[in-house]
Amino acid sequence: MTDHTTRLDHVVLWVADPVAAAGFYENAVGLEPLNVAEYTQGKVSFPSVRVNEETILDLAPHSLVEHMNMLPGSADSAGHPVNHVCLALPSAGFDALRARLADHGVPVSDIGYDSSGARGNATRNFYFQDPDGNIFEARHYA
């Protein structure tokens, strides 16, 4: 990649069970799991799921808290989900995600309209929660 603009590379989510979380994101959300077998074999510290070709969600087990020493107080973030992570999809992907979440019994919010985001106002949006309490917004632009 030769484009040097700033991009979102990854978000680390604290999860109770990384394998179960990867399964949720694969089956209910439709994201590609990464390194799940390697995690279960003890070869990597956590698995991930791919959002797109350049962004992933890392699924960090609470046991990693002892290694969160990159900055003073970093370990205090363990178990505290971010406010929410927003996934922008095309219209058909938005509808497919909402249907897939319903198929998996995942509660979702009502659909909102004209919500402000990184690319202006989204046509529609809704929220859902993963099994670890992390909140996601799904949206699509015109």
Side-chain angles (χ1 to χ4, degrees):
M1 179 178 293
T2 58
D3 184 355
H4 296 289
T5 59
T6 302
R7 301 183 190 287
L8 181 62
D9 185 83
H10 69 276
V11 173
V12 180
L13 301 175
W14 290 111
V15 299
D17 180 341
V19 174
F24 170 81
Y25 285 106
E26 178 181 17
N27 298 316
V29 183
L31 302 181
E32 174 191 0
L34 304 171
N35 298 320
V36 175
E38 292 85 347
Y39 172 74
T40 60
Q41 296 165 2
K43 295 179 180 177
V44 298
S45 300
F46 52 85
S48 305
V49 291
R50 181 161 299 288
V51 175
N52 60 37
E53 63 277 356
E54 56 188 35
T55 307
I56 61 174
L57 301 175
D58 292 332
L59 307 172
H62 295 282
S63 60
L64 281 183
V65 68
E66 62 195 49
H67 302 290
M68 295 288 104
N69 57 6
M70 70 286 281
L71 292 171
S74 294
D76 295 336
S77 76
H80 298 280
V82 298
N83 180 277
H84 75 275
V85 175
C86 182
L87 303 173
L89 304 107
S91 179
F94 176 93
D95 293 330
L97 172 59
R98 194 166 171 88
R100 197 167 41 250
L101 291 169
D103 288 347
H104 287 275
V106 178
V108 297
S109 72
D110 290 337
I111 291 180
Y113 300 92
D114 208 30
S115 175
S116 178
R119 297 187 301 180
N121 287 340
T123 304
R124 298 181 295 164
N125 71 311
F126 71 88
Y127 295 85
F128 65 94
Q129 196 170 17
D130 78 5
D132 290 284
N134 295 296
I135 299 171
F136 282 79
E137 176 185 356
R139 63 173 42 217
H140 80 83
Y141 292 91

